[in-house]
Amino acid sequence: GNSVTQMEGPVTLSEEAFLTINCTYTATGYPSLFWYVQYPGEGLQLLLKATKADDKGSNKGFEATYRKETTSFHLEKGSVQVSDSAVYFCALSPFTSAGNKLTFGGGTRVLVKP
Amino acid sequence: DVKVTQSSRYLVKRTGEKVFLECVQDMDHENMFWYRQDPGLGLRLIYFSYDVKMKEKGDIPEGYSVSREKKERFSLILESASTNQTSMYLCASSLDPNYGYTFGSGTRLTVV
C-alpha cells in the first residue's frame, strides 16, 4: 500500500536558520505529492505540491522537489522566521482515482526561536 | 475565497451524549472527509464520501457514523460519546485528490 514517512520532531531552530524536513514515500505509479502546514489551533493548509517527477513546488519561501529516483519530497526553507513555527505534513495522492484519498505522514513539529 | 467551515471550534460534551459535528463546503466538491488528530498518532481517517448519500469507512470508523444528504454538507455523528473520542476533528473536501484537499479549521471536542 501507499505510505509516507517523515522525520520525527520536534525540530528546534533559531531564526534565519536553514530548515530541512525529510519525506520519503512508497507508492505504485506516479503519485502527486504535497506539503501541508498546520499552525497552532488551526486546520491544515496546503503549502505546496508537485504532480510529476522533477517538479519543484514552492510557496512562502519553502521549496520541495519531487525525486522519483529516491522517492523523496524533502521540504526546505533557507531562512526561517518565528512565524514558521508549525506542524508540517507530507502527503501523497495516488495517480489512480480509486480510493480518492490522501496518505499523510505523521507530521513534524517545527519550533523557531527568536 | 473557497471555504470549508466547521460549525464549532470547541465543544464539550458528556459521556453518552449523541454528538453532531457539522462541515460545510462552498466549492461544489464531490469528495469530503473526516479525520481525527491525536498527539503521536497523526491524522486518522474516520469516514469519507464520494457523493451525496455515499459513504465509505476509513481507518477508524468504530463509534462514528456520517450523513451526507446534500453535496455541501458532511456530518460526523458520535452515537454515544466516550472519553476516548476526545480529540481534534478535521473536515476536508476535494474535487480531485491530485490537487489536494481543503481543510476546515477543526473542532476540538472534549468528552467529560
Side-chain angles (χ1 to χ4, degrees), chain B residues 17-70:
Chain B
E17 276 193 75
K18 191 169 185 177
V19 180
F20 294 85
L21 303 183
E22 305 289 347
C23 175
V24 177
Q25 50 99 357
D26 65 358
M27 297 166 284
D28 203 33
H29 285 173
E30 294 178 344
N31 307 298
M32 296 187 75
F33 308 84
W34 275 106
Y35 288 86
R36 65 178 281 177
Q37 183 180 20
D38 301 288
L41 297 176
L43 294 167
R44 293 182 291 168
L45 182 63
I46 305 171
Y47 268 97
F48 58 104
S49 169
Y50 295 138
D51 202 350
V52 175
K53 298 192 185 296
M54 302 293 288
K55 60 184 180 182
E56 296 281 344
K57 293 180 180 179
D59 300 318
I60 53 162
E62 296 79 18
Y64 303 94
S65 62
V66 290
S67 172
R68 192 158 180 212
E69 297 296 318
K70 293 184 178 181

